[in-house]
Amino acid sequence: SKRGKGFKWAVHRVFGGVKYFLPVTKDLYSKVSKIVKKVPHTVVPNVVDTETFYLHDKTISNNFRFVHVSTMIYQKNPHGLLRAFKAILNKHPQASLLLIGPCPPEVKDYANALGFTDKNVRFTGAVLYKKVADYLLSADALVLFSRYENLPCVILEALCCGVPVISTTVGGIAEVINEQNGILIEEGNEMQLMSALSEMITRYPAFDREKISVNAIANYSYDAVGKKIHAIYQQVAGIE
């Protein structure tokens, strides 16, 4: 809605010739349909390289390891995440938070102002794709506190690794996260995030990591997503 007339004209022109729309979530389809005419569609989720992101044995630790993966910009609400994490440390001093990705200096400064030590909060900076998988595989849970999203690939990657997820219910995230694989909270609600962090630690043994991984791979692997796209292309081309 904030783009110029030329961009809007181009979008309408493109959708005027669309035979089939492949949004990654129902939420995205709903939002697009309010802007352009409705067209035939099938939800086809983002894909995960399951040769890189998959479940296997992780190192044992006495700490409960939360991991956050993002660019840590305003959209991702890192300041709110840090405040909520700080608030639970008195109850769960064994918890740690690893923040992966390029980090603006003001976010690190804020973490220092909150009095975190390396024992509880660490920043990795930008890392290679394979290293993200290594960090996820050694984590207990992924946590996102985004203000808005569509369907973050890191959520699907975490699930393929058998890692349960805490996330705000924005965009299409609620379409993939449920009681069996994570905890959903309201956007911007730090009290709910504090509660979810604590609940994840205490309820963690109830999460079936193998089941989380199997279900995710069945939906988000190259093979699964490729078959969906192939079937749609055949349908559009009129091939039986």
Side-chain angles (χ1 to χ4, degrees):
S1 61
K2 297 179 181 178
R3 301 299 291 267
K5 291 182 179 179
F7 182 87
K8 292 178 181 177
W9 174 85
V11 169
H12 282 276
R13 174 126 188 206
V14 166
F15 271 83
V18 166
K19 289 188 176 180
Y20 223 91
F21 178 34
L22 280 60
V24 296
T25 62
K26 295 177 184 177
D27 178 76
L28 179 59
Y29 175 74
S30 175
K31 289 175 179 174
V32 171
S33 296
K34 293 176 182 178
I35 301 171
V36 299
K37 71 173 187 178
K38 291 185 178 182
V39 296
H41 77 286
T42 296
V43 172
V44 178
N46 286 325
V47 68
V48 176
D49 178 1
T50 51
E51 291 189 1
T52 301
F53 296 89
Y54 63 96
L55 175 66
H56 58 70
D57 293 338
K58 64 173 184 174
T59 57
I60 303 299
S61 172
N62 292 326
N63 293 340
F64 191 93
R65 296 166 291 191
F66 289 103
V67 66
H68 171 85
V69 184
S70 81
T71 51
M72 286 171 251
I73 57 177
Y74 172 83
Q75 173 193 354
K76 306 297 183 176
N77 199 0
H79 294 80
L81 171 58
L82 288 168
R83 284 192 296 270
F85 186 70
K86 179 68 175 180
I88 70 155
L89 281 181
N90 286 336
K91 184 178 179 181
H92 302 285
Q94 81 283 15
S96 64
L97 173 62
L98 182 67
L99 297 104
I100 301 166
C103 180
E106 61 268 21
V107 176
K108 285 188 177 181
D109 290 343
Y110 190 68
N112 290 333
L114 290 174
F116 288 118
T117 66
D118 287 344
K119 175 185 176 183
N120 296 119
V121 171
R122 289 195 300 115
F123 295 87
T124 68
V127 300
L128 296 175
Y129 187 62
K130 177 64 172 65
K131 192 63 177 177
V132 175
D134 293 339
Y135 282 130
L136 281 173
L137 287 165
S138 64
D140 294 303
L142 173 74
V143 54
L144 296 180
F145 196 46
S146 301
R147 291 181 165 96
Y148 51 90
E149 290 285 2
N150 185 21
L151 182 61
C153 287
V154 70
I155 286 181
L156 308 185
E157 291 163 350
L159 295 177
C160 287
C161 292
V163 177
V165 175
I166 296 172
S167 175
T168 47
T169 179
V170 294
I173 293 173
E175 297 171 35
V176 301
I177 299 300
N178 52 55
E179 290 184 354
Q180 282 69 51
N181 60 17
I183 303 171
L184 289 170
I185 58 176
E186 296 173 357
E187 182 273 322
N189 193 324
E190 293 182 26
M191 293 298 294
Q192 282 192 6
L193 177 55
M194 290 162 50
S195 177
L197 292 168
S198 183
E199 179 185 350
M200 179 61 72
I201 294 171
T202 56
R203 191 162 69 90
Y204 185 72
F207 288 103
D208 187 334
R209 289 190 61 144
E210 183 176 357
K211 185 176 181 179
I212 290 173
S213 176
V214 168
N215 289 342
I217 289 172
N219 285 288
Y220 312 125
S221 66
Y222 286 160
D223 185 59
V225 175
K227 284 179 179 178
K228 283 188 175 183
I229 294 175
H230 179 70
I232 292 167
Y233 270 51
Q234 286 189 308
Q235 178 183 339
V236 172
I239 301 172
E240 296 295 333

